[in-house]
Amino acid sequence: MHAISDATRDTVDGVLAYARRRALWKDVPLDGPVSPEELAARASGSITADGIGAERATALFADVLAPTTLSIDHPGYLAFIPCAPSKAAIAFDLVVSASAIYGGSWLEGAGAVFAENEVLTWLAGEFGLPEGAGGVFVQGGTVGNLSALVAARDVARRRNREDVRADPPRWLIVCSSEAHSSIAAAAAVMDVDVVPVPVGADGRLYGDGVAAALAAHGDAVFAVVATGGTTNFGIVDDIASVAAAAKERDVWLHIDGAYGLAAMLVDRMRPAFAGVELADSVIVDPHKWLFAPFDACALIYRDPEQGRAAHTQRAEYLDTLTERPDWNPSDLAVQLTRRPRGLPLWYSLAVHGTEQYRAAVDHGIRLAREIADEIARRDGLSLVREPQLSVVVFRRDGWSLADYEAWSARLLADQRAFVVPSSHAGEPVLRFAIVNPLTTFELLAGILDTLA
Ligand SMILES: *Cc1c(COP(=O)(O)O)cnc(C)c1O
């Protein structure tokens, strides 16, 4: 399995040939799932005592397994938040896999860690964070939010120790009632509670609501979370007033920008994010709107030392690493072993430069605006809300959830697009999440035609 032979050479060539085909596939089919029974009938039996060989295994994947996975990079994939990696990023992901790099420590992965840090420093600058800000690429926004919140609680606990003050019976996180489900998930893992603050009529969290929650709960609150682009609507909280309320009480401010913070790359969008520069921690998912492959979340601390104090694992077998003054990414989040998952983004950024990223993000924002105007023009369709970023939520007048679901299934069966119903205030709605620079107005208008 490990020696280099004609057989291993053929295996690598065959796999790379498939990867090349897939990465450069011009009109990649959308594809879609089948039942477990159908896959069992068509694909079971691959794990045997003697192996089925590379040719058969590759063919099984290419012909049977891959076609039952959705192509998230298809321009018609508009559900949830799409992933549309640049070709450079995809190609470099193969290099990361081939290179056996341990991305957890400087000792083992110096060059890779350096390159990842170049990206994190650039992002921190875009978000207005001061020099010295830094972090780590983790698996996804859920792990990023959890890691940031663990650091926030650690800071609050240490402060209590220093002031010889008891910890509260229950620690609390203050966030918007529209915050992403991963905040509640993090709270559950941490065994803390969430105080949801109602949003304004515009769906945004404001500082006055946060201030009231902080006044009511005092020192039990260890973090305030503002969302830089909600998943369902792409709404950006009023971060400046939320930040002011948090700072007033010296509470950690975390910005969940998993989807939306990428929009800060577009100059005219920056005012909508005022206040991000005050954050103690932020996250953004490059696998969402920064054109990196699954899976990568950039977690950035204003003061990385606070992340380090909370997360560094200590053990006799790790002393060689932790007793050095090195920059060790493992020390900054809930993880130890890590793939240098920021490298595909680093490579693509290095190849293309930042201007192309700004333009690619801007495409989504402009297209959302154009298709929203088209929806408003069409009889029988109406916007639920004006888009702020690149998510457009709308309704087909008179349709029930069952109508939407049947339509969605037909759209996928026709291999035209993947759009699933969402809901807002109990009403089923439709939602386009536009990330892919290959998604066009014509494609979206064609989808609207099928709603007639
Ligand atoms: C997607 C998303 C998350 C979770 O990120 P994962 O990478 O899916 O774990 C968190 N917050 C927001 C606002 C998101 O859009």
Side-chain angles (χ1 to χ4, degrees), residues 6-22 53-59 61-62 94:
D6 286 346
T8 55
R9 228 173 256 123
D10 288 347
T11 300
V12 172
D13 287 347
V15 168
L16 288 181
Y18 172 80
R20 185 174 193 285
R21 233 177 15 254
R22 174 59 182 86
E55 209 169 315
R56 274 181 65 196
T58 307
F61 180 76
L94 295 172

Side-chain angles (χ1 to χ4, degrees), residues 47-62:
I47 307 303
T48 65
D50 298 319
I52 61 172
E55 209 169 315
R56 274 181 65 196
T58 307
L60 179 64
F61 180 76

